[in-house]
């Protein structure tokens, strides 16, 4: 079952290209792939799926489609994080941070920076 607001790995690669490089033709997207490169039709089909989902649109230039992202990376970052927290951490952001600390994925300095951000937000709010 395909969820409209989720990206497959192939779709994610194309969105990253559009976010970082701006509007692109399919042939330009293909240049970014390492060898062995996917087939032109594979990339073209994936872009059309993204367009059907509403994440990509196009402009016709000299008879060719030039594609651009219609949503920013923040949209996917936020929805992906919410999904991970809900599905794997019992909807607890505290549990997420605890797991990062326990697995040594976050440093003491990074935790201090996060606390400073929280304190600054409260001081300004």
């Amino acid at each position: 079952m395909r969820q409209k607001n989720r990206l497959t790995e192939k779709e994610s690669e194309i969105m990253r290209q559009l976010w970082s490089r701006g509007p692109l033709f399919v042939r330009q997207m293909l240049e970014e792939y390492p060898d062995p490169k996917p087939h032109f039709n594979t990339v073209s089909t994936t872009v059309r799926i993204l367009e059907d989902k509403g994440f990509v649109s196009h402009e016709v230039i000299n008879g060719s489609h030039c594609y651009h992202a219609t949503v920013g990376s923040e949209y996917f970052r936020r929805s992906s994080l919410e999904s991970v927290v809900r599905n794997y951490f019992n909807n607890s952001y505290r549990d997420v941070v605890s797991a990062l600390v326990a697995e040594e994925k976050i440093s003491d300095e990074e935790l201090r920076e996060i606390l400073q951000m929280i304190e600054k937000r409260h001081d300004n709010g």
Side-chain angles (χ1 to χ4, degrees), residues 3 5-6 73-93 96:
Q3 291 189 340
N5 65 340
R6 302 272 187 247
S73 60
E74 312 81 36
Y75 170 83
F76 292 103
R77 184 175 37 239
R78 184 176 55 251
S79 64
S80 296
L81 179 60
E82 289 171 356
S83 175
V84 167
V85 172
R86 181 178 53 254
N87 293 327
Y88 299 103
F89 294 93
N90 200 27
N91 215 25
S92 169
Y93 285 85
V96 172

Side-chain angles (χ1 to χ4, degrees), residues 92-105:
S92 169
Y93 285 85
R94 180 189 178 283
D95 288 353
V96 172
V97 174
S98 295
L100 293 171
V101 169
E103 295 175 19
E104 298 180 4
K105 301 290 185 190

